[in-house]
Amino acid sequence: MFIFLNYLIMKNPLYSALFLGLIFFVCSDKLVAQKIEPIPVKQFYKDRVTRNLQFLCKEAECLDNVIVNDKGLYIYPTSQKVNKPEFILYWREMPHFVEMLDKKKTEEIIDILSRKGSHYFYGINNTHVNPAKYPVTEYKGLKVALDPGHIASNFEEARLEQRYVRAEGKHFNQKQHIEFFESNLAYTTCLVLKEMLEKKGAHVMLTHEYGKSAMGINYNEWLQTDYKKDIIHGYKEDWYNREKFEYLMSGQAPDFMLFHDVFRNMDFVARAKKINEYKPNITLVVHYNASEGGKRYGDLYLPPVTENYSMVFIPGSFLGIEIDGQDGLDQRFEMLRLLVTHDLEESDVFASNIIKALNDELKVDALPKENNFDFATRFSILSDKSEGVYHRNLYLTRVVRGPIAYSEALYQDNIEEMAKLGKKDFTIGGIKTSSRVKDVAHVYFSAIDQWLQYNQQFAKQLDALYEDKYGDEDAFKEEMEKQEADSGSNN
Ligand SMILES: [Zn+2]
């Protein structure tokens, strides 16, 4: 009898559910009264996709590439919906897709999706995946990718990348003018933060060495390489038109143009590749902000301003032109990922924590939403969690997998910040910098700490969801089979 039962349990999850039910019945009649509810995978993902969609499409020309219905999610290659959908994910497949993102490269997943078409993933019946991916909740084992903005390690290079501050001493009652550059501040901020996180047990990766691009070379070293192949690569990637391509190839193009149109883009691609290969739980891109429209005068001096604001970019806000057509395939895939995964929500939580910590610890406000800057109105969607947090489809916010915040903390040209940032009163990793970077690093540390606490809460919710609604594993499988039968009759 026992062997027979065992056989039945292995053979058919329905019997094992009945068997477990029998045990429950014997143990407690209270338990048996508890009806196993239908699996809420569908509702869980439908809620998430519906919410995320509001922040992923900036324009109607993007929204009409997406259909969300009772069966699942459909992404179309054009706005007209004249063609077949390019990606189809049924609600029940979504945990499987999320798991796949952890293990496979983009091209592989695109291939799998195109081969499956309107069918279900092969083998999904036999795969028991959790309804949602559990987030990391503690420093132990936490993997953090830090991307220090820009490349320069000296003033000359900083001038080439146009990220430097020079101010007349007279604003600070001194003879000596003030001089510093963003790459130095961003890099040393990351070094301080790395130390703080590692002390707690986290693993931290920086995307580049000081003064080097993520390719491991600086601009001058790049010029010594066969850099024309990169110009050709950029043309194929549509970074510039034919006319500019020919000019870049002619050898007549100025450093400024080669740096910004080719070298810097190569660097972005290399940064994203490094981050994705590292598979971090969270990514922080570190920049320092500056007021818009500060015009240099005299010997390239910047006029100090009295305002001081921060902003943080997170994924989303795709434009119609980015999503539509043959060239938009990669972008449509990233939109699919951002619709289905927890990445967008977690990015928003992380970014909102940064804005809050900047405010609490440094008394620097979020960029007020009334300041309708061009980028905000044309390319961004304001987060509904915090002022100063903008969904924006930048290269890094789009292609980096997992939660990401692209931070632009405080105005470097604010008069008080200028005085602090101009001081070379702190050294880390052999790099002289301003001790102000320690304050900013602490802000990021606090934001990551808060994000871990959010994850703890979220994990508890998942536990509750799983226990209340899913019952035991066999009941889960049984329900899966039932849904499979249902959807089969619908097709
Ligand atoms: Zn920057």
Side-chain angles (χ1 to χ4, degrees), residues 150 163 182 287-288 408:
H150 309 291
R163 290 295 183 276
E182 189 185 339
H287 285 254
Y288 280 82
E408 297 268 4

Side-chain angles (χ1 to χ4, degrees), residues 155-173:
F155 211 77
E156 194 195 330
E157 290 167 349
R159 271 177 74 158
L160 184 61
E161 61 184 6
Q162 292 186 304
R163 290 295 183 276
Y164 66 96
V165 170
R166 254 170 90 84
E168 281 186 283
K170 68 171 188 192
H171 301 295
F172 310 94
N173 300 317

Side-chain angles (χ1 to χ4, degrees), residues 354-379:
I354 293 172
I355 290 289
K356 185 173 182 302
L358 279 162
N359 197 262
D360 291 349
E361 297 178 20
L362 305 191
K363 306 285 168 248
V364 179
D365 285 329
L367 183 75
K369 58 170 173 258
E370 298 76 42
N371 291 24
N372 272 327
F373 286 134
D374 200 40
F375 84 82
T377 46
R378 287 176 60 199
F379 305 118

Side-chain angles (χ1 to χ4, degrees), residues 5 8-9 11-21 474 478:
L5 249 180
L8 274 180
I9 288 165
K11 186 83 182 163
N12 192 329
L14 177 68
Y15 288 108
S16 73
L18 286 172
F19 179 59
L20 283 169
D474 294 324
E478 185 192 337

